[in-house]
Amino acid sequence: MCHCQRILFLVETDQFISEIMQNILSRLPALAFAYAACVNKRWYKICSQILKRPKLVSALSLNPSLHDAVEEVIEQVLSEPIRPHFAIACIGKEFNLELTHGLIIKKLGSSIPIITNIASGIIGVDGIVDELYEEKWETTTAGPNSQESDTVDQGLVLLVGFLPGLKIGTIPLLRPMQESNTLVDKFVMDILHYTSAVSDCPAPTGIIIFGDKTTDMKPIVSKMDCAMPEETVIVGDASAEFIFRNGDNSLNHLAHTCYFQAVALVFARDRYKPEGIGEIQFHVTMSTGVMPFGPTLEAASVLQKDSECSWISAKLKGQNGIVAAGEILNDLKQQFRDTNKSADIYIGVTKETISTNDSGILTPGRCLDFYEVRGGGGRYFNVNGVGIQPGDSFLFYQSDSETASSTCDHAFNKLLALKAELKSKNYLHLSKFADKDDKKEVLGGLIFSCYRRGESFSGEPFVDSYPFYDSFPRAPVAGLFCRGEIGRGPKSLMNEEYEDENSRRCCLHVYSTIYLVMSYLPPSVEN
């Protein structure tokens, strides 16, 4: 054997050994994989090659024992190689929030952002039985026929992400000592400053936000909407009870809802993205569950009671006479009794806004805010929340299961179209010899669904997760039921009607389901 042949033989043998090692190491659970990466430089290089692609993993447990539930989900998410960059856990109210948070930190480490939240229900796949669950713990409707769930509020769903190419940080919104808008402005600026510090992009790719249940999130989300370009996807729970850890140990003793109005998990493109990493993208669509009815009204006068509710007198738009609020509400109740239906009633208020476009120019716009109708009498409607001004126009909306079902189908079609688009882009970037993992377009998803969405119009249990799960059956998914669904993104996916650029934009929804999809576009063959 000549010298060149001997060198070629040794190279081929070395490659063969590396392939065998990669095959073995890729089968290790996360902890053993982490130890293997520390053995020597060669093993570290092989481990890095295994984890060259972003990954999401999720797990659900309905075990009534907190410690056992945490063990089950941790075992599932760490059953394969992953280096956690962030984690989101949603639990039932019977589980202790601080204890759960501490157990998860102990398992995943204290160096990553972790948010733990009490939800009204959870969505996810139980890896032990390989079955999708939608476990709801609150009443399904607010009407006279509402029923309590017969299940105990115990359960846990965990989402863990490894997203090389993105920088991930938590930005909190402090609770003010007195009423003030300056902290909200600072919160938005903190998000933008964090992004500019770690990225060459002016705004984040995506934001997952949790707002405290005692905080009115409408002005906060509206401020974020005005400050961010349309491409920035924002999703979240506006009625959370959360605790979080920054990952840099700076807020460990304060990171609870008693000190914060909200916390944002910010995803920004890394200025120093590792070589050979493609592009992670955020996509969002939604299913609504309310339909408008009646004429357009205009607020004539508004009386606010603290930050809890408002009393509104109204007139028909373009007229001067005040409408009889009590009679209108009594007529609505009678109509529901006659049709044997129960529904929640909201008013959708149109407000004027000023936002910044991609060129930094201030442009006028309009937003749509929902307020639940509590009741009323005489000349006044009583609604939850504040912020309505005299002159604001509004429509009545009612929750409607048929609308929820049909828009769920629309969301499914949107996700199918997204799937086809991602597959096409992926095909153009990859050669036919690419790894099968590289050809997976979708990393996973996160679902925020209203806890009041109950049965479909056919009487069958309503499955809010089906648009995502049927579109991407092999992708990890986690979700929660909440009392205020935040969803904002490009108009083409949001399943809303926009007549023109000045059409009303809604970011904090009611009776809806928000679907967040994270996708991955590998680097092109040339790169």
Side-chain angles (χ1 to χ4, degrees):
M1 182 182 294
C2 71
H3 183 67
C4 291
Q5 288 177 324
R6 188 179 297 112
I7 292 176
L8 180 61
F9 173 75
L10 291 174
V11 169
E12 290 176 345
T13 302
D14 185 69
Q15 290 176 344
F16 179 68
I17 293 173
S18 294
E19 289 174 3
I20 293 176
M21 290 181 62
Q22 185 168 331
N23 194 337
I24 294 172
L25 293 174
S26 65
R27 301 171 187 267
L28 294 177
L31 187 58
F33 181 83
Y35 287 138
C38 299
V39 171
N40 55 42
K41 290 183 178 181
R42 182 177 183 181
W43 282 39
Y44 178 82
K45 184 177 180 180
I46 294 173
C47 289
S48 297
Q49 185 68 17
I50 293 171
L51 277 182
K52 66 180 180 179
R53 184 182 185 278
K55 178 185 289 189
L56 286 179
V57 289
S58 66
L60 173 143
S61 173
L62 298 177
N63 196 313
S65 165
L66 169 58
H67 287 80
D68 290 344
V70 172
E71 285 291 338
E72 287 178 8
V73 296
I74 290 294
E75 183 178 348
Q76 291 176 55
V77 299
L78 299 184
S79 63
E80 57 187 50
I82 189 171
R83 293 171 184 157
H85 284 171
F86 77 94
I88 297 173
C90 296
I91 64 174
K93 65 182 179 182
E94 292 299 317
F95 282 170
N96 182 280
L97 181 61
E98 290 82 359
L99 179 56
T100 306
H101 191 64
L103 291 172
I104 293 172
I105 290 175
K106 186 176 180 180
K107 296 292 184 179
L108 296 182
S110 59
S111 61
I112 64 170
I114 299 175
I115 298 176
T116 307
N117 174 48
I118 295 177
S120 298
I122 54 177
I123 301 169
V125 175
D126 187 334
I128 297 176
V129 296
D130 194 25
E131 188 172 340
L132 177 71
Y133 285 93
E134 288 192 8
E135 191 71 17
K136 194 181 299 184
W137 297 310
E138 297 290 341
T139 56
T140 55
T141 64
N145 299 321
S146 63
Q147 297 179 346
E148 292 288 341
S149 168
D150 57 1
T151 59
V152 181
D153 297 10
Q154 295 169 330
L156 165 66
V157 65
L158 177 65
L159 178 71
V160 176
F162 166 68
L163 302 179
L166 292 183
K167 285 291 188 179
I168 307 168
T170 50
I171 306 296
L173 171 58
L174 287 166
R175 191 177 297 280
M177 300 300 292
Q178 57 187 12
E179 198 67 29
S180 171
N181 289 325
T182 57
L183 287 178
V184 177
D185 294 334
K186 182 181 182 301
F187 173 63
V188 175
M189 292 307 300
D190 284 348
I191 292 175
L192 295 175
H193 287 159
Y194 169 80
T195 304
S196 63
V198 300
S199 173
D200 290 328
C201 300
T205 297
I207 299 172
I208 301 175
I209 185 169
F210 293 86
D212 177 52
K213 61 184 179 181
T214 64
T215 298
D216 182 6
M217 289 296 293
K218 285 190 284 291
I220 298 170
V221 175
S222 177
K223 184 82 70 172
M224 294 173 68
D225 177 50
C226 292
M228 307 288 171
E230 185 182 307
E231 290 71 26
T232 297
V233 169
I234 304 174
V235 298
D237 176 5
S239 59
E241 184 177 349
F242 61 85
I243 187 171
F244 72 95
R245 187 180 185 103
N246 261 9
D248 60 3
N249 300 321
S250 61
L251 287 171
N252 287 337
H253 63 296
L254 293 177
H256 195 284
T257 47
C258 59
Y259 299 99
F260 298 99
Q261 297 183 82
V263 60
L265 192 61
V266 180
F267 300 81
R269 301 201 187 283
D270 190 352
R271 178 179 289 118
Y272 305 107
K273 183 173 70 172
E275 185 178 352
I277 298 296
E279 184 178 351
I280 299 170
Q281 297 176 323
F282 283 52
H283 318 268
V284 63
T285 189
M286 67 171 291
S287 161
T288 187
V290 291
M291 58 183 301
F293 66 94
T296 301
L297 299 176
E298 183 179 299
S301 64
V302 182
L303 303 175
Q304 296 182 357
K305 180 184 177 183
D306 299 324
S307 60
E308 296 179 2
C309 65
S310 300
W311 292 85
I312 307 167
S313 67
K315 57 186 179 180
L316 289 171
K317 198 163 182 67
Q319 300 186 17
N320 294 323
I322 303 298
V323 301
E327 292 182 13
I328 292 176
L329 294 176
N330 289 333
D331 289 344
L332 288 176
K333 292 177 183 177
Q334 186 59 49
Q335 289 178 28
F336 293 143
R337 282 194 292 265
D338 292 343
T339 56
N340 197 28
K341 291 176 62 177
S342 62
D344 300 313
I345 303 298
Y346 304 87
I347 60 171
V349 182
T350 300
K351 300 177 181 178
E352 303 299 322
T353 62
I354 298 293
S355 59
T356 304
N357 63 18
D358 294 341
S359 302
I361 301 173
L362 297 177
T363 57
R366 298 191 301 164
C367 71
L368 178 65
D369 286 344
F370 286 103
Y371 295 80
E372 185 174 6
V373 177
R374 301 171 52 162
R379 293 156 48 108
Y380 289 93
F381 299 103
N382 181 219
V383 300
N384 274 330
V386 298
I388 304 172
Q389 300 295 327
D392 287 345
S393 62
F394 64 89
L395 276 171
F396 279 98
Y397 288 77
Q398 71 178 62
S399 59
D400 181 69
S401 59
E402 187 169 348
T403 299
S405 181
S406 63
T407 57
C408 231
D409 294 338
H410 293 161
F412 175 58
N413 292 331
K414 290 278 189 180
L415 293 179
L416 283 181
L418 174 64
K419 182 178 183 179
E421 178 187 345
L422 293 174
K423 188 173 184 179
S424 175
K425 288 181 178 179
N426 200 305
Y427 177 79
L428 294 174
H429 272 237
L430 292 173
S431 73
K432 63 181 180 180
F433 302 108
D435 294 340
K436 65 178 182 178
D437 283 342
D438 278 336
K439 294 181 180 179
K440 295 177 183 176
E441 296 87 17
V442 170
L443 300 175
L446 187 58
I447 299 173
F448 296 85
S449 185
C450 177
Y451 81 103
R452 289 180 174 177
R453 284 164 70 102
E455 293 184 342
S456 66
F457 65 94
S458 62
E460 296 296 323
F462 202 81
V463 183
D464 289 293
S465 55
Y466 106 80
F468 181 92
Y469 196 69
D470 284 11
S471 299
F472 313 107
R474 296 183 181 180
V477 62
L480 66 150
F481 291 98
C482 53
R483 302 165 185 259
E485 311 81 55
I486 299 169
R488 181 261 198 200
K491 299 173 184 177
S492 58
L493 274 175
M494 279 304 291
N495 241 355
E496 295 180 307
E497 297 297 329
Y498 294 96
E499 298 171 2
D500 53 49
E501 289 298 320
N502 292 322
S503 295
R504 299 175 303 169
R505 184 180 181 92
C506 183
C507 298
L508 179 49
H509 307 271
V510 294
Y511 224 79
S512 69
T513 299
I514 307 297
Y515 304 93
L516 171 67
V517 178
M518 296 187 197
S519 70
Y520 178 62
L521 184 65
S524 62
V525 177
E526 292 78 9
N527 293 330

